[in-house]
Amino acid sequence: MWGLRVLLGAVVGLAGPVQAEQPRWDTFNGTLAATKFADVTTFTPETVGRLQRAWEVRTGDVSDGSGDLPETVWSATPIYANGTLYLGTPFYRILALDPATGQERWSYDTRSTLKALTQPALKNRGVAYWESGADGPCEKRVYLGTMDATLHAVDADTGQPCADFGENGVLNVNQWNETNDVFPFSLLQPPTIVGDVILIGWSGKDWAYSVEPPGNLMAVSARTGELLWDTGFIPADLIPRTGTANIWSSMSADPDLGLVYVPVSSPSPNYWGGNRLEGVPLATSITAVEIATGKIAWSYQHIHHDIWDYDTPSAPTLVDLPRGGAQVPALVQTTKQGLIFVLDRRTGAPLFPVRERPVPASDAEGEVAAQTQPFVPHPPPTVPVDALPEVWWLADALSFGQCSRDRDRFRYDGMFTPPSTQGTLLWPGTAGANNWGGAAVDPRHGILFVNSSRVVQIIRLIPRHAYDGEVRKATNGSIEGGNEAGFHAQEGAPYGIELYEWTNSLGLPCWAPPYGTFAAYDLASGDRLYEVPFGLTQRWGFYGLRSWGSPTLGGPVVTAGGVVFLGASMDDRVRALDAATGRELWSDIVAAPSVSIPAVFSHEGQDYVVFVAGGNSILKPRVADQVVAYRLPRE
Amino acid sequence: MGGGMLQSLAMVAALLGMGLAAYLWQVEGSGITGTAGALLALLGAGAAFLGAILAAMMRSWRHLRGVVTGLALLAATLTAVAAWFLMQNVLVIVMAVAALALLLDLAFTPACRGVI
C-alpha cells in the first residue's frame, strides 16, 4: 500500500497543479468542470472510519410499482447552495433541507403527472441552482424538470414560484417539441446553468420507435425562460426517417472558453440503423457548443453508426493536463463501451492516440455496419474490450453446460459485433461499462477515479412479422407486457428486439467475475494505477464473494483528504475508499442501492457527505426514498 | 456436559437464531431486510429448534432420536452457512453453537451413539 502511495506521490509531482475548487456542491457534478472533486480535508483515510450519521430523511416519494404508480428510480445528486440542501424527488417535488439537521425548510410540488410517459419509471436526478448576484425575491432560484416536460423555477429561500419565468414560474419546454413528437421531452436530468443561461437536454422513450423527436440542446434565459437558441444534432434530411441523438445526461462547461460539452446519445432506432446509413455525424459524440450562440465548435464521434445504444452517458470531466511542458485544457470522457477518450477541449483533438480498427459486419436486413470503430489502447479501457469474459465454470456446471452452449450459439466476433437474428452477445451490456455517474478527477494530481460494470447481455433482432407472436408467447398473450419481458418494438424498423442478461436457468451470470471494479488512472501518463473489485453482488439477500465485485450505477466523489465516496453497488452500501489504493475504509448500509453521485461540502465549519438511496431495477428490485448525511464527530 | 445440557444449549441457540433471523428480516439496515435469504435462515433456525425439542422428547426411541438430532444438526449447519453468505456474523456464531451442541449430543449421548 505504501508503495502505491509513493507512486501516487510521484505522479502528483509530475502532473502539476490544475484547478482547485471550493467546498460547495451547486451542480449535479459538484462543479461545471464535472470533476466531482470536493476540496475538503477532514475526510482522510485515517478519519473516515469514524463517520457518523448526522441525519436521515425519508421523502415519502417512492413507489415499487406494485400499486397505481410506476416504479420510482431516484438518482438525484443533492445540491448544496445558499446554505441549504436542495433535492428533486421522483414525484417531481423540490425539498429544501437544513444541511446540519435534515429539517425541511420548504417544499414545492410541481404537480407533474406521475405517469411513465417516456422512461419506464418515475425518474429524477435532481435540481439545478442559479443566483443573479443581486438581493431580493427570485434572485436565487432552484429549477426542477418534470416527466411531462415542464421546467419549474422557484425562489431558493421560500420555494415560491418565480412569476417572471415562463408562465408564473413554469416553462413549457414541450412547446418546442414540434417534429416527430411521438413522446414529450421528459426533463429527468437537471439542466446545466452557465452564467444566466439554462442549457436543457431531455429524455425520450428508448427502443420504441424508428422516427422520434430529433435530439437538440436548448438555451433559455435563467430569468425569463425565453428561448435563446436551439441546436439540433440530426441532419435535416434525415429527420423524416430517424430521431433522438438527444442529451439525457449531465453536461460540463468551461465558461472561460465559452463552451458547453454535451454527451450526445445514439440515433433511433437503437439496434438497427438501416434508416440512417448516411451517418449521423453528431450522434454518439462529445460535442462542444458555444454557450453564447449555440454554434457547434467541434464534435468528436466515438462510435460510428451506433447500433448498440452506446449513448455518451455522462458529462465529460474537464481537467488541465501536462503536455510538452505546458498545461493543456483537456476533457475526459468515460463511455458505455469502456474506452476512455481524452481530448483537447479547445479543439476536440485526441491527447492519446485513437486507432480505427476493423469491426464485424452486420448480417441484418438493410443494415450496413461501420467498417471500423475508434479504439483507445491507452489509457487502458475500464473493462477488457478485446475479448468476451470467460464462461463462468460454476454457472456452466450448475446448468449442465448451458453457458458454453450459449457461447457457441450466439454471435460474438469481437467488440462491436452487430445485433443479429440469431442473438448477439452484447459486451459491455446496454447499461454500459460506465454510465451517468461518470468519473471523478482530483485536479491537483490529475488522477481519475472510475467505477465500472461488467455485464454481458444478449440482443436479438426479431423480424417484424414474428415480433407480436413472440411477445404474446412470452407474456401469455399480452402484447402490453412485452417491455417487462425484455421485448421492445422499434416500430418502423424491420426488427423488434429482445434484450436480456446472459444468465443460466438458475439466474446465475454465465460470464466469469468480477462484475464490477473501481480503478484509478494517472491522466498525465495514461497509466492505470490500480484496479480492484468494488462492492458486493446480492441475490435473495445472499452476498457474492468480495473478489466478484458488483455492477454499479452512480458515480464517485474524490476529496482533497484522499478519500473517494461511492455508493453505486447492488448491496445497498455506501463506501469510503482510500484514493491511493482503492481499499475500502468505511461503509454503511442504506435502504436501497445509492445509484446517484453523493454531495460533499462544508457547512458552518463542518464537512458533510450526503447520499441519496433511491435504487434502480437495473441493479435489483429495491427502491427507497432515503437521504442520509454523514459527518465526523466534533472534537 | 450431559446430553440434557447439550440439548438445552442447542435449543436455546436455535431459538436465539430464530429470533435474530426474524429481527434481521424486518429491521431496516440489516442488509437483508425483507429478503428470501433472511426468511430461509428463519426457517432453518426454526427447523433446528424443532428438531432439538423433538429429540429431547424421544428419550425412549433411541434410533429415531438419533435421526432427528442428525436432521437438526443438518438444519443448524446449513443455516450457519446461509448466515455466512448473508454476512450476519452473530447468526453464524449462534447457529454454529447450536450445530456443535447437536454434534456433541450425537457423539457422546448413549441414546444416539449407535446412529453415527
Side-chain angles (χ1 to χ4, degrees):
Chain A
M1 188 176 86
W2 283 107
L4 273 171
R5 281 188 194 286
V6 170
L7 176 63
L8 201 58
V11 164
V12 168
L14 287 172
V18 277
Q19 307 126 316
E21 293 154 22
Q22 297 305 307
R24 52 190 290 170
W25 206 266
D26 55 8
T27 78
F28 180 77
N29 293 301
T31 65
L32 286 174
T35 53
K36 306 184 194 79
F37 172 73
D39 194 11
V40 302
T41 54
T42 61
F43 297 144
T44 69
E46 291 73 33
T47 63
V48 288
R50 301 202 306 272
L51 277 176
Q52 296 176 340
R53 281 193 186 199
W55 50 264
E56 173 190 341
V57 164
R58 292 303 191 112
T59 69
D61 292 1
V62 64
S63 164
D64 63 5
S66 61
D68 295 335
L69 294 175
E71 188 180 59
T72 50
V73 167
W74 194 27
S75 322
T77 302
I79 296 298
Y80 174 73
N82 190 34
T84 304
L85 202 64
Y86 299 103
L87 286 150
T89 78
F91 286 3
Y92 306 104
R93 292 193 307 135
I94 305 173
L95 302 179
L97 307 178
D98 183 325
T101 65
Q103 199 158 30
E104 186 175 304
R105 289 179 173 164
W106 55 259
S107 68
Y108 170 81
D109 191 347
T110 64
R111 301 188 186 283
S112 168
T113 181
L114 298 182
K115 292 178 181 169
L117 300 178
T118 52
Q119 294 288 295
L122 299 175
K123 289 186 180 179
N124 172 264
R125 283 199 278 273
V127 297
Y129 177 82
W130 171 79
E131 56 187 38
S132 70
D135 292 328
C138 282
E139 297 301 329
K140 298 173 181 171
R141 300 182 182 197
V142 180
Y143 300 86
L144 175 66
T146 64
M147 175 67 85
D148 53 7
T150 58
L151 184 65
H152 295 244
V154 301
D155 182 87
D157 289 323
T158 64
Q160 293 301 307
C162 297
D164 57 349
F165 184 81
E167 288 188 24
N168 295 317
V170 182
L171 179 66
N172 175 16
V173 176
N174 216 41
Q175 67 181 294
W176 299 306
N177 181 8
E178 297 171 315
T179 309
N180 308 337
D181 55 342
V182 289
F183 50 67
F185 288 171
S186 288
L187 304 179
L188 311 180
Q189 172 73 40
T192 300
I193 303 180
V194 187
D196 295 335
V197 178
I198 302 179
L199 298 152
I200 303 171
W202 45 267
S203 294
K205 191 170 186 174
D206 294 324
W207 314 337
Y209 308 103
S210 293
V211 181
E212 298 179 344
N216 63 341
L217 177 65
M218 293 168 280
V220 303
S221 160
R223 190 172 290 282
T224 65
E226 176 196 0
L227 183 66
L228 305 174
W229 49 259
D230 177 348
T231 297
F233 301 116
I234 302 275
D237 57 329
L238 284 182
I239 286 177
R241 285 184 273 146
T242 183
T244 68
N246 57 323
I247 305 158
W248 58 263
S249 189
S250 62
M251 303 169 241
S252 49
D254 185 335
D256 292 339
L257 291 176
L259 296 175
V260 59
Y261 301 96
V262 298
V264 185
S265 80
S266 58
S268 61
N270 295 100
Y271 295 102
W272 181 82
N275 61 334
R276 47 184 166 88
L277 293 175
E278 301 91 329
V280 183
L282 298 176
T284 318
S285 74
I286 308 136
T287 295
V289 180
E290 291 180 5
I291 297 164
T293 63
K295 188 180 158 202
I296 291 172
W298 57 261
S299 181
Y300 187 89
Q301 186 172 58
H302 59 91
I303 294 184
H304 311 313
H305 189 59
D306 187 351
I307 47 175
W308 301 271
D309 195 23
Y310 283 158
D311 302 331
T312 317
S314 60
T317 298
L318 312 188
V319 60
D320 294 350
L321 297 177
R323 280 290 184 283
Q327 293 293 105
V328 173
L331 67 77
V332 186
Q333 182 72 61
T334 53
T335 59
K336 283 189 171 184
Q337 68 267 37
L339 303 176
I340 301 174
F341 290 86
V342 184
L343 310 178
D344 184 325
R345 68 174 182 266
R346 296 166 299 189
T347 62
L351 295 176
F352 288 94
V354 178
R355 312 256 186 253
E356 288 286 334
R357 278 174 32 185
V359 290
S362 173
D363 55 10
E365 175 194 331
E367 181 62 275
V368 182
Q371 293 185 337
T372 65
Q373 292 289 356
F375 283 78
V376 186
H378 200 75
T382 58
V383 299
V385 300
D386 286 327
L388 194 69
E390 295 289 316
V391 168
W392 189 26
W393 66 270
L394 181 60
D396 202 32
L398 290 173
S399 60
F400 304 102
Q402 180 203 327
C403 297
S404 293
R405 289 193 299 277
D406 282 354
R407 176 68 186 83
D408 295 337
R409 180 160 64 105
F410 296 120
R411 186 178 176 198
Y412 187 78
D413 301 325
M415 189 149 180
F416 298 114
T417 301
S420 59
T421 52
Q422 76 184 81
T424 292
L425 292 163
L426 183 64
W427 164 246
T430 190
N434 307 106
N435 208 305
W436 66 75
V441 169
D442 184 336
R444 303 164 308 164
H445 306 157
I447 307 295
L448 176 130
F449 303 91
V450 63
N451 53 293
S452 307
S453 300
R454 299 186 184 193
V455 174
V456 183
Q457 290 182 299
I458 295 163
I459 171 76
R460 185 169 66 92
L461 298 176
I462 305 170
R464 178 63 53 211
H465 64 83
Y467 179 78
D468 284 359
E470 286 215 23
V471 174
R472 286 201 176 91
K473 190 175 168 189
T475 59
N476 294 321
S478 162
I479 194 79
E480 284 76 27
N483 288 6
E484 288 75 23
F487 292 89
H488 302 272
Q490 296 199 136
E491 284 177 20
Y495 300 101
I497 62 160
E498 185 185 17
L499 180 67
Y500 54 97
E501 270 74 46
W502 183 29
T503 56
N504 70 6
S505 50
L506 300 170
L508 288 173
C510 272
W511 66 100
Y515 305 115
T517 57
F518 179 78
Y521 292 79
D522 169 18
L523 290 172
S525 67
D527 294 340
R528 183 162 52 210
L529 301 175
Y530 62 78
E531 182 180 52
V532 294
F534 175 78
L536 297 166
T537 51
Q538 192 177 25
R539 186 96 188 249
W540 304 310
F542 298 108
Y543 293 94
L545 303 180
R546 286 194 185 278
S547 60
W548 295 357
S550 162
T552 57
L553 280 176
V557 168
V558 59
T559 73
V563 168
V564 174
F565 289 106
L566 179 58
S569 58
M570 68 189 296
D571 58 0
D572 305 345
R573 279 166 172 77
V574 295
R575 291 177 165 87
L577 310 177
D578 186 338
T581 64
R583 183 173 62 93
E584 184 176 317
L585 301 166
W586 166 90
S587 73
D588 191 30
I589 297 174
V590 291
S594 178
V595 293
S596 53
I597 298 165
V600 180
F601 54 87
S602 295
H603 175 71
E604 294 176 349
Q606 191 149 29
D607 296 338
Y608 291 81
V609 54
V610 181
F611 288 91
V612 162
N616 188 313
S617 59
I618 292 175
L619 288 181
K620 69 176 185 184
R622 184 190 287 270
V623 294
D625 58 347
Q626 187 186 38
V627 191
V628 192
Y630 300 91
R631 66 184 169 210
L632 293 168
R634 287 190 187 275
E635 294 298 328
Chain B
M1 193 180 281
M5 281 188 70
L6 287 170
Q7 284 167 354
S8 299
L9 179 61
M11 274 188 267
V12 169
L15 190 62
L16 271 174
M18 281 177 67
L20 193 56
Y23 173 76
L24 293 169
W25 181 78
Q26 60 85 31
V27 71
E28 191 164 277
S30 71
I32 56 170
T33 313
T35 62
L39 278 181
L40 193 68
L42 175 59
L43 203 67
F49 177 64
L50 192 65
I53 285 183
L54 285 175
M57 292 164 62
M58 291 175 179
R59 292 190 182 280
S60 49
W61 296 311
R62 177 177 151 181
H63 289 292
L64 188 58
R65 183 183 173 218
V67 169
V68 171
T69 305
L71 289 173
L73 170 60
L74 185 66
T77 305
L78 290 177
T79 305
V81 172
W84 188 79
F85 279 105
L86 294 168
M87 291 181 67
Q88 303 299 331
N89 293 338
V90 178
L91 187 58
V92 173
I93 292 167
V94 166
M95 295 314 297
V97 167
L100 188 65
L102 288 163
L103 182 67
L104 292 174
D105 187 38
L106 267 180
F108 299 118
T109 303
C112 298
R113 206 174 293 154
V115 176
I116 57 172

